Amino acid sequence: MKKDAIFEFFRRLAEDNPSPETELEFGNTYQLLVAVVLSAQSTDVGVNKATRELFQQVKTPAEMIELGEEGLKEHIKTIGLFNSKAKNVIALSEILVRDFGGEVPADRDVLTTLPGVGRKTANVVMNCAFGAETFAVDTHIFRVANRTGMAKGKTPLAVEKLLDKRVPQPFRVGSHHWMILHGRYICKARTPECWRCPVADLCAFKPKTPAPKGAQA
């Protein structure tokens, strides 16, 4: 995808959704960090369902430590890998209290040293909480970037680096949200809905998926 097409891609998505946000529910930066850790290999819908009651009770790392690992498990037992995730959340909460005064550090490299926090998680927190121009490459972004021809790479890190190089202002902060939402609701894994895609003419994917009978673009 050429430079002008990339600009137009995001311009159209921004026109449709001027202020994109994560679909994870949270009340502060710490809750965002916990939600993103819990979302690994899980859906945002499933995480939100598990954390609504949890986040009414727990708003700080200290409160999470007080709740304890077993108490946390009771809240998140509907989420995949909940045992290991509970262990990581308690461990990272202890580190935040001990080393950072209970605050989430605004530093990607530091965040990735926390239990359960990989580069993608750190990128989400940096973007959503601190407004950093980061590109959190999940399965949706990886698919959209490769399928459209915007940033073709064999690994999430390769795609991330290409996006960082190619995504222009003023779309850099919101770009990963637009791509996730586009991949989640239109550019789906099995059957992309090209027939109702606002950027289909800019996309390298072929053949374009035709509209099902009776569907309206």
Side-chain angles (χ1 to χ4, degrees), residues 35 56 66 68 77 89 91 99 119 166 175 179 196-197 204 210:
Q56 289 179 10
E66 185 178 346
K77 60 188 177 183
V89 168
D99 298 341
R119 187 178 179 89
R166 295 178 180 175
S175 61
M179 293 182 78
R196 67 181 192 92
C197 175

Side-chain angles (χ1 to χ4, degrees), residues 6 25 46 54-55 70 100 110 130 138 150 197:
I6 293 173
E25 298 172 3
L54 171 66
F55 286 165
E70 293 306 314
F100 300 99
V110 174
F130 304 114
D138 68 351
M150 183 184 299
C197 175

Side-chain angles (χ1 to χ4, degrees), residues 5-214:
I6 293 173
F7 186 94
E8 180 63 12
F9 180 96
F10 287 111
R11 189 201 67 77
R12 291 183 197 176
L13 296 185
E15 185 176 48
D16 185 57
N17 182 9
S19 302
E21 298 178 345
T22 176
E23 293 187 320
L24 288 171
E25 298 172 3
F26 62 95
N28 59 36
T29 303
Y30 171 68
Q31 290 182 340
L32 169 65
L33 174 61
V34 171
V36 181
V37 169
L38 296 177
S39 72
Q41 299 181 51
S42 302
T43 66
D44 287 0
V45 171
V47 172
N48 290 338
K49 188 175 180 180
T51 58
R52 281 184 192 126
E53 187 175 327
L54 171 66
F55 286 165
Q56 289 179 10
Q57 181 180 346
V58 174
K59 296 178 173 61
T60 67
E63 290 174 347
M64 187 68 79
I65 295 167
E66 185 178 346
L67 176 65
E69 189 174 329
E70 293 306 314
L72 176 56
K73 285 180 183 179
E74 281 301 306
H75 283 280
I76 66 169
K77 60 188 177 183
T78 56
I79 299 175
L81 306 174
F82 73 93
N83 284 313
S84 60
K85 289 178 180 178
K87 185 176 181 180
N88 285 333
V89 168
I90 296 298
L92 72 83
S93 300
E94 291 172 343
I95 293 171
L96 291 178
V97 169
R98 185 188 72 214
D99 298 341
F100 300 99
E103 298 296 321
V104 177
D107 186 308
R108 180 170 63 187
D109 292 337
V110 174
L111 285 171
T112 57
T113 67
L114 297 174
V117 180
R119 187 178 179 89
K120 183 184 75 173
T121 296
N123 278 338
V124 173
V125 173
M126 290 301 298
N127 181 274
C128 297
F130 304 114
E133 295 176 359
T134 54
F135 303 86
V137 180
D138 68 351
T139 56
H140 297 300
I141 291 183
F142 187 79
R143 179 175 68 255
V144 171
N146 275 284
R147 185 182 274 169
T148 60
M150 183 184 299
K152 300 185 85 168
K154 293 183 178 180
T155 66
L157 182 59
V159 169
E160 179 189 335
K161 289 181 176 180
L162 282 171
L163 288 173
D164 192 22
K165 190 176 180 181
R166 295 178 180 175
V167 175
Q169 295 288 12
F171 308 115
R172 290 177 63 81
V173 172
S175 61
H176 106 263
H177 295 297
W178 283 309
M179 293 182 78
I180 286 174
L181 295 171
H182 188 65
R184 186 172 288 163
Y185 297 111
I186 295 178
C187 195
K188 300 174 182 178
R190 292 187 179 179
T191 310
E193 297 182 3
C194 304
W195 51 276
R196 67 181 192 92
C197 175
V199 290
D201 60 306
L202 305 171
C203 170
F205 177 71
K206 290 182 173 43
K208 297 291 193 285
T209 309
K213 288 184 179 180

